[in-house]
Amino acid sequence: MKRRQLFGLAGAVAATPWIRPKAGLPIVRSGRAMAAVIAPPDAEEAAAELVAYVERATGVRLPRTAAPGLTPVHVGSPGPDPAVPGLLAKLDRDGFLIRPYQGSLTVVGPSPTGTANGVREFLERYAGVRWLMPGPDGDDVPALSALEVPAVALCQQPAFAMRSFSPLRDTRYPLQQLWARRNRMQGTTTEPIAFHHNLHALFPVERYGVSNPEFYPGGKPPAPGKLTGWQPAFTVPGTIDAAVTGILEYFTANPGASSYSLGVNDGEGFAEADPVPAYYAWVNEVVRRVLLERPGKRFGLLAYRKLETPPSFKLHRQVVPFLTQDRYAWTDPAVESAAHALTDRWLAVSSQLGFYDYLYGAPYLLPRMFTRRYAKTMRYAKARGIVAHYAELYPNWGEGPKPWVSAKLQWNADADPVALQREWCERAVGKASAGDLLAYFDLWEKFWAERVPGSAWFLPNATYQTFNLPHYLELVQDGDMTRSRTLLDSVVARAATAPQRARATVLRRAYEFYEASALSYPRAVTPPATQEAALAMLQSGADAHQRRLDQAARRLALIKEFATDPVLVLQMNPASHANLVWTGWNAGEYWSVVAYIRAHEPTGGPVTDLARSLSAANPYAALVLRGLPAPNLVVNPDLTSGLPPWTLLPRSNGTRAVARPTDQAVLRVSGKGWGGPCQKIAVTPGLARLTASYRAPAGTAASVQLALDLCDAAGTPIPSSSVRSPVISLRANDTWTPLRLDCEIPDKARNIAVGMVELIFLVDSAAEVTVDFDDISLLNIAKEAP
């Protein structure tokens, strides 16, 4: 219990079955109000919600003033029950009591949020209300002829004192935020502890850039307004004084604040080679000094990337680290075991811990279902005394029960995810349709549990999976999409009521985006080794070309349609990620046919003849012919003329370096860290193929990723616009191994015309390595004839 004390006691909670009480305190009977709802001003919202939903369920509006013969329902006040104040003092602030006493009923929590949670439990438990999705069609409110409450006291509080989903914690999406609140999630004003990226606010360059440049890495203040990619110099003593001053100023200006975030800025940019001991010692001293003047305050922080390893010393008991990881990766037992061991190390130095997770719906292009895995994680977190849980949800409501089940598990970590998912499906589309809907979500739960782990896309040791790379679509089988559409068509056809049909239609519309993404995705192909294989690849590419274009256009149109839909809106827009946008052209298939003809039919042959015969009516075949003479755009591709124009990517870190050895014409990457060689190249929007070979000595532990960062015509990088391969673990056997990235270069990125790319080899290693690259080629052709 020790780790929970600063948040209040966290007790076990019961599930919330819908009970039709046979006897008890009458609320509505025979079409008449039998109770009155009485509330103080700070509980008015909760009281109004109780009245509104009882009226929706029964058709009867409860009066708001006491009257003889009416059961008093005290919302947000102790009422006449003398035991209530003492019981409230023992509860987490989000907990609540529902207590009958001498013909009255009290629904109250230690805070307005707790009271609201009590009202929602009342509505769920006794009126059968469910908030399944945002918006009016998302509520499921059964019709009741009577409503009575058993004369049995109920007390609940959450398994985790902090429970929050982004971006549903703020007001950007009001209907979705309301859905989260009704399912007992917290928001920006009710979260009990701050912990997000915040050191940029504590060390604004406008305040310290001129007077104290030594506060910043290398004594170089960042540009005004730059909030990421740098940290204060934790070993410079003056940064402690400045931090204490800034935090005390904050608490003076915000007297109601109970916590302050010491979360590092996003990105890295540490002044120290090993930031762990420096940062956490700095945190301890800052907290110690602030608490001398502001006792009882708490300080959250992010154990993020380079700070994921705990220090060798204990942290102040008022510090709450949030361990960052996409715990979907715990699907891999080895990953789960390693994460449990790391959690134990953190528990040895921390009085309190939070979990920061990445549950992403959007921008994934399939239903990313892993509710059973998530339930197992929540049970583990509760058992280990984790006090807080925050998740980047970015919901895609095509995932149906996933957000709802996740919210339920944060309140009650012992709930059965299978039962919850079944309940959601039955309530969403009716019992007649629920079986098919359960089968649909089970199909995708198995996809993520069985096919994705171990694939090239899956990153077992990453903080989060590469949501902006779609290579998991390679694992989709044709039968998956056919089966999914059949199931959802059945769900829509068998839904009985108008609200059920509306919810079923939302799910099927969301599926249309998944389907269009999977069917138009440019899958990797095996280059043809025989004439027969090359002929087949050319013919199938030509036959499927228009269908792929149509599906790709459809998926982009759906993204735009969804943008104005309060439920289907993709809150992390897939179209904002270069790797998640394509036109339907399959660059890998295209360049493989071109490469076969160039290698095997330089003066013509059967494959060339087929392309010519198809070219008049088929743009795909016509482009094959135009691509045959495409030149290599890389300057100095074989390093025969020295190193230039190859340079080290400026944002490389660690000791990463590039060179051209005097005795070998290769591009050599050395050192440790992340980054590598780069070269800017003028390109035409269209299809591109980047190829190279690498070799690494036996024993090398490193990965490589090929990248084409998109730039404007002047070579200025377009922010957050990069076309990349999956991260590839190097084969360390001192032999040459081929690499390839087939892709489309878009006309525009972030509404900026693309005119150049920066070709990059991104090598990542924790130790010193030596990796050589050679035979580098970039082919590029516009999809339309000039």
Side-chain angles (χ1 to χ4, degrees):
M1 297 298 290
K2 187 175 182 180
R3 291 190 176 91
R4 299 182 186 270
Q5 286 173 355
L6 293 179
F7 281 95
L9 299 176
V13 294
T16 309
W18 176 26
I19 299 173
R20 284 188 182 271
K22 296 179 180 179
L25 296 174
I27 306 298
V28 173
R29 183 182 291 164
S30 302
R32 293 177 51 227
M34 302 298 293
V37 176
I38 305 161
D42 65 353
E44 178 56 34
E45 182 180 358
E49 188 167 271
L50 176 61
V51 170
Y53 276 93
V54 168
E55 183 174 17
R56 285 181 61 179
T58 66
V60 174
R61 187 167 188 83
L62 301 179
R64 296 298 311 277
T65 56
L70 297 181
T71 300
V73 179
H74 299 278
V75 175
S77 68
D81 189 344
V84 167
L87 293 170
L88 289 177
K90 299 176 182 179
L91 281 178
D92 176 277
R93 69 177 192 172
D94 277 6
F96 57 83
L97 304 170
I98 300 177
R99 285 179 61 85
Y101 180 78
Q102 295 183 353
S104 70
L105 184 70
T106 296
V107 183
V108 66
S111 70
T113 303
T115 295
N117 290 336
V119 164
R120 286 147 192 168
E121 176 67 21
F122 178 102
L123 292 169
E124 288 184 296
R125 183 174 289 264
Y126 303 127
V129 175
R130 295 294 184 269
W131 294 281
L132 302 170
M133 290 179 171
D137 289 331
D139 296 356
D140 190 54
V141 184
L144 302 177
S145 59
L147 178 59
E148 294 187 350
V149 177
V152 177
L154 179 67
C155 174
Q156 282 192 20
Q157 55 187 356
F160 305 99
M162 179 169 174
R163 308 164 315 284
S164 193
F165 287 150
S166 63
L168 309 189
R169 56 197 287 269
D170 56 43
T171 57
R172 283 177 287 172
Y173 302 94
L175 285 179
Q176 308 229 11
Q177 185 201 39
L178 180 59
W179 172 90
R181 287 170 49 206
R182 284 176 169 164
N183 284 290
R184 309 185 202 180
M185 300 300 290
Q186 296 165 336
T188 52
T189 61
T190 55
E191 291 169 348
I193 189 162
F195 64 91
H196 290 280
H197 303 296
N198 194 49
L199 294 189
H200 56 80
L202 200 51
F203 291 91
V205 68
E206 295 81 2
R207 181 168 183 173
Y208 295 115
V210 174
S211 62
N212 297 94
E214 72 278 9
F215 286 2
Y216 305 95
K220 297 178 180 179
K226 181 174 173 56
L227 309 182
T228 63
W230 63 271
Q231 315 296 339
F234 300 115
T235 53
V236 172
T239 59
I240 293 175
D241 296 331
V244 171
T245 297
I247 295 169
L248 292 175
E249 290 174 351
Y250 172 83
F251 283 131
T252 298
N254 299 273
S258 62
S259 68
Y260 189 87
S261 173
L262 293 176
V264 292
N265 300 330
D266 205 358
E268 295 190 357
F270 291 95
E272 301 81 15
D274 180 5
V276 167
Y279 171 67
Y280 290 115
W282 181 89
V283 165
N284 272 352
E285 182 59 17
V286 169
V287 169
R288 185 191 69 81
R289 289 176 53 180
V290 170
L291 290 175
L292 293 175
E293 298 192 39
R294 295 285 183 170
K297 303 298 185 182
R298 291 172 289 179
F299 301 84
L301 58 83
L302 290 159
Y304 181 62
R305 293 190 174 180
K306 280 194 171 183
L307 298 171
E308 289 177 356
T309 303
S312 59
F313 47 85
K314 287 188 177 293
L315 291 175
H316 196 287
R317 67 188 303 270
Q318 296 293 96
V319 173
V320 187
F322 280 72
L323 310 190
T324 57
Q325 188 179 17
D326 184 342
R327 292 176 179 83
Y328 157 71
W330 291 15
T331 304
D332 182 330
V335 176
E336 181 181 36
S337 178
H340 286 186
L342 180 62
T343 302
D344 287 342
R345 292 172 59 194
W346 272 104
L347 289 169
V349 302
S350 304
S351 296
Q352 305 169 87
L353 279 183
F355 272 2
Y356 189 116
D357 218 320
Y358 303 85
L359 297 182
Y360 294 136
Y364 282 92
L365 310 179
L366 294 172
R368 188 175 177 240
M369 303 299 294
F370 54 100
T371 52
R372 295 169 196 170
R373 170 63 265 176
Y374 186 66
K376 187 178 178 182
T377 299
M378 291 296 94
R379 288 193 297 271
Y380 165 80
K382 179 188 173 188
R384 299 300 290 128
I386 303 304
V387 298
H389 194 279
Y390 181 96
E392 294 188 33
L393 177 65
Y394 290 90
N396 182 332
W397 296 96
E399 293 176 331
K402 177 181 164 182
W404 187 80
V405 172
S406 300
K408 292 295 183 185
L409 290 169
Q410 289 204 32
W411 182 269
N412 177 9
D414 297 318
D416 180 353
V418 175
L420 287 172
Q421 195 147 303
R422 183 184 304 111
E423 179 187 1
W424 190 95
C425 291
E426 290 180 352
R427 299 298 297 273
V429 300
K431 289 189 176 182
S433 294
D436 285 340
L437 190 57
L438 281 166
Y440 169 73
F441 288 120
D442 190 54
L443 185 157
W444 293 109
E445 184 114 15
K446 289 179 179 177
F447 175 88
W448 290 98
E450 298 172 5
R451 293 189 216 166
V452 175
S455 70
W457 176 84
F458 183 80
L459 297 179
N461 299 315
T463 300
Y464 46 81
Q465 301 296 305
T466 46
F467 55 80
N468 60 341
L469 293 179
H471 302 98
Y472 51 84
L473 290 174
E474 301 281 357
L475 307 173
V476 176
Q477 300 168 3
D478 291 341
D480 297 331
M481 309 315 294
T482 302
R483 176 68 172 154
S484 292
R485 175 163 281 280
T486 299
L487 289 168
L488 287 180
D489 284 348
S490 172
V491 168
V492 173
R494 299 171 71 183
T497 68
Q500 289 170 359
R501 286 192 294 274
R503 292 188 286 265
T505 300
V506 165
L507 296 172
R508 189 171 61 179
R509 283 194 72 210
Y511 172 73
E512 290 177 12
F513 173 69
Y514 300 140
E515 182 181 59
S517 297
L519 296 181
S520 65
Y521 175 67
R523 295 191 179 202
V525 299
T526 301
T530 66
Q531 183 183 101
E532 290 76 13
L535 287 167
M537 184 173 288
L538 172 58
Q539 186 69 60
S540 65
D543 290 345
H545 180 62
Q546 190 59 50
R547 291 197 302 273
R548 292 172 179 170
L549 295 186
D550 292 344
Q551 290 285 0
R554 174 63 174 153
R555 70 185 294 272
L556 294 178
L558 286 168
I559 291 174
K560 291 182 179 179
E561 288 179 29
F562 291 174
T564 58
D565 189 304
V567 178
L568 289 170
V569 57
L570 299 171
Q571 296 166 359
M572 192 182 292
N573 186 352
S576 66
H577 299 278
N579 291 287
L580 302 184
V581 177
W582 51 82
T583 63
W585 285 83
N586 188 319
E589 180 185 74
Y590 167 82
W591 287 113
S592 292
V593 174
V594 169
Y596 179 88
I597 295 175
R598 289 170 69 151
H600 298 282
E601 299 183 2
T603 59
V607 183
T608 309
D609 292 344
L610 178 60
R612 286 174 178 155
S613 69
L614 296 171
S615 62
N618 190 282
Y620 182 91
L623 194 65
V624 167
L625 297 176
R626 286 202 294 114
L628 295 177
N632 183 4
L633 301 181
V634 177
V635 179
N636 192 18
D638 296 314
L639 284 297
T640 54
S641 60
L643 182 63
W646 294 102
T647 60
L648 177 67
L649 182 71
R651 62 181 185 274
S652 300
N653 59 40
T655 60
R656 183 63 70 234
V658 300
R660 192 276 201 187
T662 56
D663 59 337
Q664 299 179 66
V666 297
L667 182 58
R668 176 159 293 174
V669 178
S670 60
K672 64 181 179 180
W674 177 91
C678 63
Q679 179 182 145
K680 287 188 177 178
I681 301 170
V683 294
T684 300
L687 306 183
R689 164 169 279 191
L690 169 59
T691 56
S693 297
Y694 77 86
R695 69 180 177 192
T700 302
S703 65
V704 65
Q705 187 177 34
L706 305 183
L708 296 176
D709 282 8
L710 306 180
C711 307
D712 64 17
T716 303
I718 301 173
S720 302
S721 298
S722 181
V723 181
R724 299 191 177 188
S725 73
V727 176
I728 302 162
S729 296
L730 295 184
R731 296 178 182 174
N733 54 16
D734 214 16
T735 60
W736 289 99
T737 302
L739 294 169
R740 186 173 78 234
L741 169 61
D742 293 314
C743 63
E744 284 190 65
I745 298 172
D747 297 332
K748 292 183 177 182
R750 298 191 176 274
N751 212 33
I752 300 172
V754 177
M756 298 187 78
V757 295
E758 188 164 38
L759 188 166
I760 313 169
F761 296 95
L762 297 170
V763 178
D764 193 3
S765 66
E768 301 279 342
V769 298
T770 299
V771 183
D772 293 336
F773 295 93
D774 201 359
D775 301 319
I776 305 165
S777 170
L778 178 64
L779 305 179
N780 171 224
I781 189 167
K783 297 190 293 290
E784 293 78 25

